[in-house]
Amino acid sequence: MAARPKPLKGPDKLVFLLSFVPYLLEQRVVDVAEAATHFGMTEEEIREAVRLIATSGLPGSTGTYQPNDLFDIDWDSFEDDDVIVIVHHVAIDDAPRLSAREAAALIAGLQYLSASPENADSASLASLMDKLTAGASAAPSRLAVAESEADASLATIRSAVAEGRQLEFDYLNARGERRRRRADPLRIISQDADWYLQAYCHLREDVRNFRVDRMSGLLVTEEPIGDHSHRRVPDTLFQGSDSDLDVVVDVSPEALPLIADYLADSSTQEVDERLRVTLRLAHVHGLKRLVAGLPGLITVVAPAEARAAVADWAAAGLAGYSDAGTMRERRTGDR
Amino acid sequence: MIARVAGAARAGESRIPVEDRLFSLVLALLATETGLLKSEILSSVRGYAERYDPAGQNANLERQFERDKDDIRELGIPLETVESPDRPGDNQALRYRIPKGQYDLPDEVRFTPDELALLGLAAEVWREASLSADSQRALTKLRSLGIEPREPVIGYAPRLRVRDASFEPLRQALDRRQTVRFRYFKPGEAAPRQRTVDPLAVVLHEGRWHLHGFDHDVREPRTFLLSRIIGPVAPVPGRTFEAPPPGIQDRILAELDALRLQNSADLAVTAGSDAEIRLGRRAVLRDDDAGVIRMHYTDVAVFADELAAYGPEVRVLAPDSLRDAVRSRLETVAAAHRGGGEQ
């Protein structure tokens, strides 16, 4: 399980302690290193927890924490061999239940995953969700994610990633140009409803994000992928590059979260009840779509070329609604 | 004198870490059948006892205990309050306990290595802080079962973001069954209007988060788009409500789907464009020769925003309401960007 080297807060540490004790009891004898791997923590964090547990217990009738009311461990094994054995325990022996929120978060996560091809077995997903519900101390929060249709090519790409084989495909880029590409697939990453392939592109000789729905003519080749262990596969989809475009916009405060991905920095300036911020985008093709999709909420201030690109985009869209066009289209439409 | 006592309290706090105090409290409350009085807890449980003043000046400690109780309950630990049968209503006679039967994970809830791998992936879906923290805590609890998950799938990272600021306060209100107030900018209205709502379910449908709740102003259930909630979501003090029926969230999703199927639009899309690709995969009917697709949609205003982003790549043929909505959006954008702008 992936390690999360992140300092835990009090309640999180409590959850860990309450989970660690039944684990130790179930395992009977366990190495510090093994426990650290299992919980994704450092060995020192595990030792610290063991020392805390070994001196914890119940106040007892006298309120003085007498030895018999405390946990006890085999101190020799622990100090000499880094091995944990609980020899006396009090109050807890079983795993704690999930909270309503915890169960709901996992259930909604599973609902989102149900869109992926390999999770098509909905019966086992449903039984897993039932187990989480049964394992919660209260009815899980009423949170749900609608199932969505997965892209058919996703399964092919996944197998190429798993087998480490090169892919060939036609790719339509954001500028509307289509080109045949060859790439070493490294990782599939999704953001909301969109799926991306992160791959080493032979044409660009660098790691690139490819949107799966813009790929066609997919071919899994016999060629193995190269060694890319020295390359960083970015964890986010939006990475800066030298050719990026900085654009100043005014945005309504409520729309700010919608453009958070593109903010160049955290500075904002208030201008007539709006916020003036700087966005960083790869090119104007992304900008014009972003701005037109938030009509009235965001206005490009500078540079002038970016303003013009947005204006042209909207005007071209409007041209489709000139009245002559309207009548002709209405007849082709079947209403 | 006062300064010295406060100083001593701080020193006591730093000696016993938070998790030590919380752990000791949970152990003590699990071990008791009849429950412990607050005075017993404060005077004997580690983390409190060191700071307990037998002369009775324990206001800080009592507040600490109240916060700890809330923290423990937030973690899904069933901390109960039991009234004394002889002295109902007397706060000093209240007893606290954690019934072991409701604390332990039921025996039938056990997971296979495959299931745990899937749960690990489900936890990684969330990019949003509180959902992610909740998922990770759940995984920690399940690790106590000692089952090693099957190796996670490499090179696969599905992610879902939550960008609506109102999401987290609504999720809290949902759990606490707390009535809330917020300003809502309904499509088609001139200005946002305040609503008072019992939040019953929060669902993601067609890529957008929706709140279903009982709207006190119209005295009927309503569904709201989180993206149209303006400003803070404030709890209405002292107002809570009955738990909604289980599975209400699935019913709401089904209703939204039914609503979506009632609305259909015919769109002309440019061949090879982004609009054709992205809208095309949601099409229910398509005529490739004419370049026309038919799509269902839930909300005209929301769908019009989406279509406006495609500029000239898509043209609405029908219905007129959607045509007009898209056209007026494009006019707004064009007008706002006409001319050189400020320099």
Side-chain angles (χ1 to χ4, degrees):
Chain A
M1 206 152 275
R4 327 202 111 231
K6 196 172 55 184
L8 296 178
K9 291 201 178 123
D12 285 313
K13 285 188 180 172
L14 172 64
V15 165
F16 167 63
L17 291 169
L18 294 173
S19 310
F20 192 36
V21 170
Y23 167 77
L24 293 175
L25 293 172
E26 172 88 26
Q27 303 288 307
R28 292 172 196 274
V29 180
V30 64
D31 288 340
V32 166
E34 193 185 330
T37 311
H38 185 73
F39 281 94
M41 300 179 80
T42 68
E43 294 186 10
E44 198 39 50
E45 284 171 325
I46 294 289
R47 286 185 204 106
E48 216 174 283
V50 170
R51 283 191 283 265
L52 191 154
I53 290 166
T55 53
S56 294
L58 307 172
S61 50
T62 54
T64 50
Y65 286 93
Q66 290 301 301
N68 220 25
D69 293 322
L70 300 181
F71 280 90
D72 197 11
I73 61 162
D74 181 339
W75 284 99
D76 289 343
S77 310
F78 182 58
E79 281 168 358
D80 299 343
D81 307 322
D82 228 12
V83 167
I84 317 160
V85 185
I86 291 186
V87 295
H88 182 66
H89 67 274
V90 293
I92 47 174
D93 43 27
D94 242 321
R97 287 189 195 214
L98 307 179
S99 73
R101 293 167 61 93
E102 291 162 1
L106 286 183
I107 289 172
L110 286 173
Q111 289 173 335
Y112 175 65
L113 286 183
S114 67
S116 29
E118 117 262 46
N119 302 323
D121 181 4
S122 55
S124 64
L125 267 181
S127 106
L128 188 47
M129 292 182 201
D130 286 347
K131 275 196 225 179
L132 291 171
T133 304
S137 56
S141 331
R142 274 69 171 177
L143 188 68
V145 173
E147 276 185 41
S148 53
E149 202 94 353
D151 205 285
S153 47
L154 210 51
T156 313
I157 301 170
R158 280 196 67 171
S159 70
V161 174
E163 292 160 24
R165 291 202 281 158
Q166 295 185 13
L167 272 176
E168 256 188 39
F169 51 88
D170 293 315
Y171 193 67
L172 179 75
N173 71 13
R175 292 178 174 81
E177 304 150 356
R178 194 184 296 270
R179 264 186 103 154
R180 189 80 180 158
R181 310 274 192 127
R182 183 178 269 256
D184 294 1
L186 302 174
R187 177 162 74 165
I188 295 168
I189 179 167
S190 82
Q191 185 156 277
D192 308 336
D194 292 324
W195 292 82
Y196 295 80
L197 169 67
Q198 297 186 301
Y200 173 81
C201 175
H202 291 216
L203 183 70
R204 303 274 176 238
E205 299 186 332
D206 201 0
V207 177
R208 286 283 187 273
N209 296 321
F210 297 98
R211 222 173 70 199
V212 169
D213 59 8
R214 286 178 168 165
M215 299 163 72
S216 56
L218 207 61
L219 177 75
V220 182
T221 71
E222 294 300 320
E223 301 282 321
I225 65 167
D227 177 13
H228 299 288
S229 50
H230 59 290
R231 278 180 221 285
R232 208 179 66 84
V233 181
D235 216 32
T236 55
L237 289 167
F238 303 96
Q239 317 133 46
S241 103
D242 296 339
S243 60
D244 281 351
L245 179 73
D246 277 8
V247 181
V248 179
V249 301
D250 285 349
V251 58
S252 297
E254 68 269 21
L256 193 60
L258 302 177
I259 56 168
D261 285 336
Y262 306 97
L263 289 177
D265 53 55
S266 56
S267 71
T268 59
Q269 183 195 341
E270 247 181 82
V271 178
D272 303 334
E273 297 181 1
R274 287 189 156 200
L275 302 172
R276 180 158 295 180
V277 296
T278 304
L279 305 183
R280 185 161 294 161
L281 292 106
H283 39 66
V284 290
H285 304 282
L287 177 76
K288 65 193 186 188
R289 292 168 193 274
L290 180 71
V291 175
L294 296 166
L297 295 173
I298 170 170
T299 308
V300 177
V301 178
E305 308 87 78
R307 263 182 78 83
V310 174
D312 291 350
W313 186 246
L318 272 177
Y321 295 101
S322 64
D323 283 326
T326 306
M327 293 316 292
R328 192 165 46 79
E329 293 306 337
R330 283 228 171 120
R331 277 199 300 277
T332 25
D334 46 1
R335 300 189 158 210
Chain B
M1 183 62 195
I2 289 164
R4 200 177 61 78
V5 171
R10 270 203 299 278
E13 200 145 20
S14 66
R15 216 168 40 242
I16 310 281
V18 186
E19 65 272 20
D20 197 346
R21 182 181 70 237
L22 293 175
F23 187 50
S24 300
L25 179 58
V26 171
L27 292 179
L29 295 182
L30 269 169
T32 171
E33 286 278 334
T34 51
L36 297 176
L37 292 167
K38 195 196 289 180
S39 60
E40 291 172 324
I41 294 167
L42 301 187
S43 64
S44 71
V45 171
R46 183 157 80 193
Y48 300 101
E50 295 79 1
R51 293 186 282 154
Y52 182 70
D53 177 3
Q57 297 304 311
N58 293 303
N60 280 341
L61 212 50
E62 291 198 13
R63 277 197 293 274
Q64 178 76 69
F65 174 65
E66 294 302 319
R67 283 196 299 270
D68 289 349
K69 251 180 3 185
D70 289 345
D71 281 351
I72 286 172
R73 285 184 176 138
E74 285 280 291
L75 298 174
I77 296 169
L79 197 165
E80 274 185 5
T81 309
V82 189
E83 279 212 334
S84 160
D86 314 331
R87 294 155 64 190
D90 180 353
N91 275 344
Q92 294 307 313
L94 287 179
R95 288 178 175 274
Y96 301 92
R97 65 172 184 184
I98 300 171
K100 194 142 182 349
Q102 290 169 45
Y103 169 88
D104 291 343
L105 193 68
D107 284 341
E108 69 273 18
V109 180
R110 291 297 180 267
F111 299 90
T112 65
D114 279 345
E115 288 177 328
L116 283 177
L118 205 51
L119 290 176
L121 205 55
E124 290 294 322
V125 162
W126 302 110
R127 296 292 106 192
E128 188 270 334
S130 80
L131 280 166
S132 168
D134 283 338
S135 309
Q136 294 302 334
R137 263 202 296 275
L139 290 187
T140 300
K141 289 180 179 177
L142 298 183
R143 281 184 192 122
S144 65
L145 301 171
I147 302 154
E148 286 300 328
R150 177 174 53 80
E151 275 301 303
V153 191
I154 315 164
Y156 187 55
R159 269 141 199 217
L160 199 50
R161 294 173 304 174
V162 180
R163 299 190 291 185
D164 303 299
S166 52
F167 181 83
E168 188 43 36
L170 285 174
R171 194 161 83 99
Q172 280 211 4
L174 206 60
D175 286 330
R176 296 177 183 166
R177 302 206 296 273
Q178 164 81 59
T179 306
V180 292
R181 217 168 254 152
F182 52 77
R183 292 197 307 139
Y184 189 68
F185 204 157
K186 190 182 171 187
E189 288 185 0
R193 204 152 47 81
Q194 179 166 283
R195 311 292 185 106
T196 304
V197 176
D198 295 344
L200 304 177
V202 172
V203 300
L204 181 70
H205 183 255
E206 294 274 287
R208 285 179 177 77
W209 288 99
H210 296 69
L211 164 71
H212 179 76
F214 184 83
D215 185 334
H216 285 278
D217 304 308
V218 294
R219 295 170 185 278
E220 265 182 48
R222 284 280 186 272
T223 300
F224 305 90
L225 276 164
L226 266 62
S227 59
R228 289 184 168 267
I229 293 176
I230 312 289
V233 173
V236 180
R239 270 175 72 179
T240 55
F241 54 90
E242 287 295 302
I248 184 172
Q249 64 275 36
D250 300 325
R251 182 168 65 75
I252 298 311
L253 279 180
E255 280 181 18
L256 285 170
D257 248 352
L259 188 64
R260 194 174 62 90
L261 293 177
Q262 282 173 16
N263 301 319
S264 53
D266 289 335
L267 311 172
V269 290
T270 308
S273 69
D274 213 37
E276 189 195 31
I277 291 175
R278 302 192 108 178
L279 299 173
R281 67 181 177 193
R282 280 149 57 196
V284 286
L285 274 178
R286 57 193 310 157
D287 177 345
D288 284 336
D289 296 333
V292 173
I293 58 173
R294 177 169 293 176
M295 281 177 72
H296 292 305
Y297 62 95
T298 316
D299 181 290
V300 67
V302 170
F303 193 44
D305 281 355
E306 183 184 355
L307 294 182
Y310 293 108
E313 294 179 353
V314 61
R315 198 165 57 248
V316 182
L317 307 177
D320 287 345
S321 57
L322 185 64
R323 257 181 88 84
D324 295 345
V326 173
R327 180 156 52 184
S328 86
R329 277 159 177 73
L330 290 169
E331 274 162 5
T332 302
V333 175
H337 293 84
R338 214 162 276 145
E342 302 173 44
Q343 288 305 315

